[in-house]
Amino acid sequence: MKIRAHSWLILFCIFFSSFAHADFRFIHESDPHVNSPTGNDSHIPVDTTCWKEMARLNPQPAFIVDTGDLADHGLASEYATWRKCIADDLPSIRVYGAMGNHDQRWNPLGKEGYIRGTHQPLWQSWDYQGIHFVTLDSTVLLEHWGHIDQAELDWLQKDLAKISNTTPLIIGFHHWIGRDPMMVDNQQALLDIVKPYNMRLWLLGHGHQNLLWNIDGVTAIMTGALYDGSYTLIDVDTTHGIMHLTRRHWGKPNPNKELLNEKVHSYHRSVVWSHIIDIPLAPQPEPKWSADVTRTNDQPQIKVDSGNLPAQSTFAWRIDQNPYQPLDISNPSTSTESRAVPGPSHTENLPLCAGHHQVTVQATLPDGRVYEKSTDLIVVLPGTPKPLWQTNLGSAVLSHLVRNRDALYVSTMSGDLFHLNPQTGNITWKFHTHGSLFSTPFVSGNTLYVGSVDHNLYAIDTSTGKELWHHQTQASILAGPAVAHGIVEIVSTDKTVYGLDATTGAEKWTSHVDGMYQSNAATDGTHFFIAGWDNHVRCLDALTGQTLWTDICGRNKKTGDVEFPYSPAIGAPCVGDGKVFVTSDDGILHALQIVDGKPLWQIDQKNLGYSGPLYHADLVYDAISTDGNIFAANADTGEILWQNHTGSDIYDSTFAYSNGSVFIASVDGIFNRVDATTGKIDWQYSLGPGHVLCSPAVDDAQVYISSMSGTVFAFPIAAR
């Protein structure tokens, strides 16, 4: 113990001898959600009250770190209001921003709109008084969930290589990590990068709550929404090497569940300042301990060696994101426990499903620090197929996979379109664009069409992967194209529908829309059907581009008013039997008559609805609600024939049909095969880390799926 104490004394002296810097303070704020300056729902009165208060603090903060959702809907007008408020209320205090999901989720320019609106990069770093600060972009284009792109992780690794492993490091971004439910699906990759460094504090937002927790010995704070009157004041005492965190709030904050247009609280209340925690700037010793998982008689066994953890440390374990269960290792002679792990269920009828799982053991120290050890667990079950092949494309996948002839096509967020051999998973060719590919490819004959965030629609030869032509629009293309009567249709976020000659790319016609469109177009060979964030479902004549009819849907169920957050914008429309089917984000599946747009029936699942419908053989399959509710309905009457639950959230993924089964994926990576006639879940397979927000593709023998991990999987339709 004398040797250890002496070693830490030396480290303490070295650290502070190189840290002769002035005391200062900075502020962590999050989620101002700047919107219209007028109206009862305006957040600006509270935001500006807080900003003016910050400017009056003595001493004045050196800067502010805002961890996202600067704008409520990501509109150019909201960013202009934000810039004016900052200039007026904080004239001498710099604000470092990090993008939130609201900053780009409805922004017609996507992430480009954030850069233009804030005049800031997507990620950045700076040094102040011997501390290294970083803000990151944890958002997924057009999504609620979090992910940090590989290019950004590569940048972070290079950035941190420039600092000493004793330099205090503070990182901020929007989505939380290290607590449930998991928001950033590749959080472990981030934690691995920062592990060699003196990570001191995580600054996080998104949840609109004031929270404090610990991630591998490092304090993490979530600061509540600024428009709820919350921010965190951080005083850095360089003399004594410590940070003092104090929360400013107006009593209990109002948690936001990502539904828009909440009324703000009254701001005529007394301000409450609450001390949160003191954090040392010097590196802290990491305890040495281990947790191993083995399998005996097909049951996992956990063995923990507590090493040099304090005797009062407590332990817990879990599988995947299930709740932690206490783990007793009180035997002083061995400091270990072997424990059989029961299989938590994803559905009432299924045990722990086949595939990739993770067992995590958590140690909580008496001082509140928390450390975790995780081990992969592969479960094999009879009746559930194993992947035939897996291919990692190196970038996240958010679109629909497309199976056509001898190819599987996958578009990625790195801007690459891949042609894979469906039998082997080998890459035949790759086509690169200069922006993310959220758009789903459409194949007609020997030509593939796909839109890019780089503003272009591309026509690509399917045999060679060579460009045939491209057509440039005035903004990002997020929607998927369709082809009918020799015309390829695409909607750009410049609010224009383009009808182009499918062979040459020459412009034949254009039509105007009133909002952003991000989903795939549907066609019956004569018409194009599109739906977007302007609350409209539109039927266009394929040859002329004339709008033949529109239907308005997507209502706030509390007020009955048509509002854009509930638009039929995310799940793509589909056609069948003289009808067009579309899901609006208020959780309603609509059936419209193709000839005139007349509503025929609707199914209200009374929840959020992001998955698109699938029509097959007089049935419509859909997944409406964020709790994994799936159902099939009669296409003529709207009568629900069966209904089931997958056990976990489904967002953008849409059903695919093959040989009597339908397939769909949950956000947490659970891939589901469902009997198309009865709704019975035949099998589930856990794909491993990576949110699944894409949709599967099928042929007669195989089904294909991917995730934000960039790995594409092929499964046999039937178990082998």
Side-chain angles (χ1 to χ4, degrees):
M1 292 301 293
K2 288 183 178 179
I3 294 175
R4 181 177 296 176
H6 183 256
S7 298
W8 280 107
L9 178 60
I10 293 174
L11 180 60
F12 182 87
C13 293
I14 292 174
F15 177 79
F16 284 108
S17 65
S18 62
F19 197 79
H21 299 286
D23 298 348
F24 70 99
R25 63 173 29 167
F26 69 98
I27 285 173
H28 174 220
E29 67 173 44
S30 195
D31 297 87
H33 284 263
V34 169
N35 54 4
S36 171
T38 60
N40 294 332
D41 294 325
S42 177
H43 301 153
I44 294 175
V46 179
D47 289 340
T48 57
T49 296
C50 292
W51 284 327
K52 289 176 180 178
E53 179 183 276
M54 295 175 193
R56 294 194 303 268
L57 292 174
N58 186 19
Q60 192 176 79
F63 53 84
I64 297 168
V65 178
D66 190 313
T67 50
D69 283 358
L70 283 66
D72 204 22
H73 307 126
L75 304 178
S77 59
E78 293 174 343
Y79 282 124
T81 301
W82 178 82
R83 293 195 304 271
K84 185 178 187 306
C85 288
I86 295 301
D88 292 346
D89 301 338
L90 300 165
S92 60
I93 303 176
R94 180 168 179 175
V95 179
Y96 292 94
M99 181 187 291
N101 57 303
H102 278 251
D103 293 319
Q104 53 82 29
R105 193 175 181 187
W106 301 280
N107 191 317
L109 298 177
K111 296 190 178 188
E112 180 184 347
Y114 171 85
I115 296 172
R116 292 186 185 185
T118 63
H119 302 164
Q120 296 195 37
L122 295 181
W123 53 81
Q124 59 188 319
S125 69
W126 67 100
D127 295 291
Y128 195 86
Q129 298 297 339
I131 300 178
H132 192 64
F133 293 85
V134 178
T135 58
L136 298 174
D137 170 25
S138 64
T139 67
V140 177
L141 185 64
L142 305 179
E143 294 289 349
H144 161 82
W145 302 92
H147 177 86
I148 300 178
D149 290 340
Q150 187 59 50
E152 186 176 358
L153 291 173
D154 293 342
W155 169 86
L156 178 63
Q157 198 158 19
K158 293 177 181 178
D159 179 75
L160 297 184
K162 301 173 186 177
I163 68 172
S164 163
N165 60 3
T166 61
T167 299
L169 175 61
I170 297 175
I171 298 179
F173 49 89
H174 187 62
H175 295 84
W176 64 77
I177 60 172
R179 64 180 298 111
D180 296 333
M182 179 180 288
M183 294 302 301
V184 180
D185 61 349
N186 61 341
Q187 65 179 24
Q188 190 57 52
L190 173 63
L191 294 174
D192 290 343
I193 288 174
V194 304
K195 190 173 182 61
Y197 298 94
N198 182 24
M199 186 69 202
R200 295 288 80 218
L201 179 62
W202 297 101
L203 304 174
L204 307 167
H206 190 54
H208 292 216
Q209 299 181 69
N210 292 310
L211 300 174
L212 176 74
W213 68 100
N214 196 275
I215 307 171
D216 278 343
V218 179
T219 298
I221 62 167
M222 178 189 295
T223 294
L226 187 70
Y227 75 78
D228 270 331
S230 292
Y231 62 83
T232 302
L233 181 65
I234 303 171
D235 286 293
V236 182
D237 181 350
T238 60
T239 304
H240 300 94
I242 198 164
M243 292 186 290
H244 306 284
L245 276 63
T246 305
R247 177 176 296 131
R248 187 269 195 209
H249 58 102
W250 284 332
K252 185 178 181 180
N254 181 23
N256 183 297
K257 296 183 179 179
E258 289 303 309
L259 295 179
L260 304 179
N261 298 326
E262 292 182 294
K263 292 185 180 296
V264 301
H265 294 292
S266 168
Y267 53 92
H268 299 293
R269 288 183 280 171
S270 59
V271 175
V272 178
W273 296 91
S274 303
H275 176 259
I276 307 174
I277 194 173
D278 295 328
I279 302 172
L281 293 173
Q284 301 300 295
E286 182 175 346
K288 296 185 182 300
W289 65 291
S290 65
D292 297 315
V293 178
T294 57
R295 298 191 68 183
T296 303
N297 297 325
D298 285 333
Q299 286 294 324
Q301 304 285 325
I302 298 175
K303 185 175 183 179
V304 177
D305 183 344
S306 59
N308 65 353
L309 289 170
Q312 296 80 17
S313 299
T314 59
F315 297 86
W317 68 275
R318 71 174 179 183
I319 295 182
D320 298 331
Q321 298 300 299
N322 290 283
Y324 276 101
Q325 303 293 325
L327 185 63
D328 182 11
I329 63 163
S330 58
N331 187 336
S333 62
T334 62
S335 296
T336 63
E337 175 177 285
S338 294
R339 180 185 182 99
V341 180
S345 296
H346 283 280
T347 70
E348 293 180 0
N349 301 319
L350 292 174
L352 185 67
C353 69
H356 298 255
H357 298 274
Q358 192 171 67
V359 178
T360 302
V361 178
Q362 184 182 82
T364 302
L365 279 59
D367 62 6
R369 284 182 290 159
V370 176
Y371 295 90
E372 293 183 346
K373 303 286 187 181
S374 296
T375 303
D376 290 335
L377 178 68
I378 306 298
V379 175
V380 178
L381 296 176
T384 300
K386 299 178 183 178
L388 298 172
W389 54 258
Q390 302 176 40
T391 299
N392 190 278
L393 304 181
S395 181
V397 177
L398 269 77
S399 63
H400 294 235
L401 282 65
V402 174
R403 179 72 174 86
N404 186 271
R405 295 183 181 175
D406 63 347
L408 174 68
Y409 298 101
V410 186
S411 54
T412 69
M413 298 306 284
S414 64
D416 293 317
L417 172 73
F418 290 87
H419 175 299
L420 302 180
N421 182 320
Q423 301 306 314
T424 65
N426 294 335
I427 298 171
T428 306
W429 54 254
K430 178 177 73 171
F431 181 84
H432 181 70
T433 74
H434 299 287
S436 296
L437 293 181
F438 189 88
S439 175
T440 293
F442 189 97
V443 180
S444 178
N446 296 320
T447 305
L448 178 147
Y449 305 91
V450 68
S452 173
V453 170
D454 70 8
H455 303 187
N456 291 289
L457 176 72
Y458 293 91
I460 303 164
D461 186 302
T462 57
S463 299
T464 65
K466 302 298 182 182
E467 179 182 323
L468 299 174
W469 54 260
H470 70 269
H471 185 88
Q472 185 173 15
T473 70
Q474 301 304 306
S476 298
I477 296 177
L478 306 170
V483 176
H485 283 315
I487 301 293
V488 56
E489 173 276 344
I490 192 66
V491 190
S492 171
T493 56
D494 62 11
K495 299 182 180 180
T496 302
V497 188
Y498 294 85
L500 309 175
D501 186 289
T503 302
T504 67
E507 190 173 293
K508 293 295 187 179
W509 52 258
T510 60
S511 182
H512 180 76
V513 293
D514 297 317
M516 182 176 77
Y517 279 55
Q518 69 178 68
S519 63
N520 303 332
T523 182
D524 62 353
T526 303
H527 311 91
F528 295 120
F529 304 94
I530 57 175
W533 286 107
D534 56 2
N535 293 95
H536 281 73
V537 182
R538 301 172 187 268
C539 173
L540 279 65
D541 183 275
L543 286 174
T544 66
Q546 178 185 359
T547 300
L548 301 179
W549 55 258
T550 64
D551 183 71
I552 298 175
C553 56
R555 297 179 182 274
N556 182 324
K557 293 181 178 179
K558 293 182 179 179
T559 65
D561 297 332
V562 174
E563 294 182 5
F564 96 89
Y566 309 101
S567 295
I570 298 179
C574 70
V575 296
D577 192 30
K579 306 176 186 67
V580 57
F581 306 93
V582 65
T583 305
S584 51
D585 291 359
D586 55 1
I588 297 178
L589 173 62
H590 306 261
L592 309 173
Q593 193 163 270
I594 282 181
V595 65
D596 56 9
K598 177 184 176 181
L600 299 174
W601 54 258
Q602 65 180 34
I603 297 173
D604 186 355
Q605 293 292 69
K606 304 185 186 309
N607 207 316
L608 300 179
Y610 298 146
S611 179
L614 168 72
Y615 173 84
H616 180 81
D618 299 324
L619 296 182
V620 181
Y621 303 90
D622 208 351
I624 295 182
S625 87
T626 54
D627 62 0
N629 178 45
I630 57 176
F631 65 93
N634 183 297
D636 285 330
T637 65
E639 177 189 2
I640 294 179
L641 303 179
W642 59 255
Q643 191 158 300
N644 204 345
H645 288 81
T646 63
S648 50
D649 293 351
I650 297 173
Y651 262 60
D652 295 16
S653 190
T654 293
F655 278 112
Y657 177 95
S658 180
N659 288 331
S661 297
V662 286
F663 300 86
I664 198 166
S666 303
V667 176
D668 64 359
I670 303 299
F671 189 45
N672 305 274
R673 171 181 160 168
V674 181
D675 186 293
T677 302
T678 66
K680 177 181 178 292
I681 297 176
D682 292 329
W683 52 257
Q684 295 181 309
Y685 191 93
S686 177
L687 302 176
H691 294 322
V692 182
L693 300 166
C694 64
S695 298
V698 294
D699 54 34
D700 288 339
Q702 296 175 184
V703 58
Y704 311 87
I705 190 64
S706 188
S707 73
M708 294 292 292
S709 72
T711 298
V712 182
F713 299 82
F715 292 89
I717 294 294
R720 292 181 179 177

